């Protein structure tokens, strides 16, 4: 049985000791803003070069890709969350991204993973709408898998649970 931890603070600093870190990716797999930019900066230019040379097609919604972490010394799990304003049932679509992510974590047998809040930046999801179904999904996953999930949220998701 695993455990779910809710954390706040600097995402990169909180990744020390993890097997993998989750990136809120853009469809081009390039360095963007927010978490994505921080990960690409911390991993080094090798990550950008690897993505440009390895992935010739854009990511699609809910897709998960894994790359080496280069200077981060852990795997990076890239997830493309759908945009809330483009979906008929936005929360259900976002949960699909998390389910695909959790399937990948289980398949790869990671033991410690740092997650970020997917879709709550420029993709338009509201923390107060996402928090309950997401925490329930993560909690249930940890109950049946031997993995520690560290859910890092700059905005203090605890207040919404």
């Amino acid at each position: 049985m695993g455990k779910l931890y809710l954390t706040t603070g600097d995402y990169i600093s909180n990744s020390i000791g993890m097997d993998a870190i989750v990136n809120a990716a853009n469809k081009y797999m390039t360095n963007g803003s927010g978490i994505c930019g921080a990960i690409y900066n911390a991993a080094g230019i090798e990550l950008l070069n690897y993505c440009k040379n390895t992935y010739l097609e854009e990511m699609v919604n809910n897709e998960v890709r894994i790359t080496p972490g280069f200077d981060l010394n852990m795997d990076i799990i890239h997830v493309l969350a759908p945009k809330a304003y483009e979906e008929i049932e936005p929360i259900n679509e976002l949960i699909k991204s998390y389910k695909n992510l959790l399937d990948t974590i289980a398949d790869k047998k990671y033991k410690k993973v740092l997650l970020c809040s997917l879709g709550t930046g420029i993709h338009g999801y509201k923390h107060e709408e996402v928090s309950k179904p997401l925490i329930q999904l993560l909690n249930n996953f940890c109950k049946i898998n031997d993995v520690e999930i560290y859910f890092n949220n700059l905005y203090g998701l605890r207040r919404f649970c």
Side-chain angles (χ1 to χ4, degrees), residues 62-82:
N62 305 323
E63 185 177 357
V64 176
R65 294 179 180 173
I66 299 174
T67 66
F70 300 98
D71 291 345
L72 283 173
N73 297 315
M74 68 192 74
D75 286 349
I76 302 171
I77 307 170
H78 305 264
V79 183
L80 181 62

Side-chain angles (χ1 to χ4, degrees), residues 15-155:
S15 73
I16 296 169
M18 298 292 158
D19 298 323
I21 186 172
V22 175
N23 178 29
N26 59 56
K27 66 182 178 180
Y28 309 108
M29 289 198 69
T30 58
N31 51 336
S33 60
I35 294 291
C36 185
I39 289 173
Y40 274 82
N41 288 338
I45 191 68
E46 294 86 4
L47 175 59
L48 184 59
N49 292 336
Y50 178 89
C51 291
K52 283 182 180 179
N53 295 323
T54 304
Y55 300 106
L56 304 178
E57 295 182 13
E58 295 175 355
M59 291 183 79
V60 296
N61 286 349
N62 305 323
E63 185 177 357
V64 176
R65 294 179 180 173
I66 299 174
T67 66
F70 300 98
D71 291 345
L72 283 173
N73 297 315
M74 68 192 74
D75 286 349
I76 302 171
I77 307 170
H78 305 264
V79 183
L80 181 62
K83 294 178 177 122
Y85 47 86
E86 293 178 352
E87 300 299 329
I88 295 169
E89 295 183 15
I91 300 300
N92 290 339
E93 281 302 309
L94 182 64
I95 293 299
K96 286 180 189 176
S97 288
Y98 278 102
K99 286 180 179 177
N100 290 344
L101 168 62
L102 295 175
D103 288 345
T104 300
I105 290 169
D107 290 346
K108 296 295 268 181
K109 297 183 180 11
Y110 293 123
K111 295 296 181 192
K112 292 176 77 172
V113 180
L114 181 66
L115 267 68
C116 58
S117 184
L118 299 171
T120 54
I122 62 169
H123 286 219
Y125 290 90
K126 306 288 184 229
H127 292 281
E128 53 273 13
E129 295 170 357
V130 172
S131 62
K132 288 189 183 196
L134 176 57
I135 294 302
Q136 182 178 10
L137 176 69
L138 295 175
N139 226 2
N140 289 339
F141 176 80
C142 289
K143 285 180 183 177
I144 60 173
N145 292 278
D146 185 23
V147 62
E148 292 180 4
I149 299 288
Y150 293 80
F151 187 80
N152 196 93
N153 186 286
L154 295 174
Y155 302 102

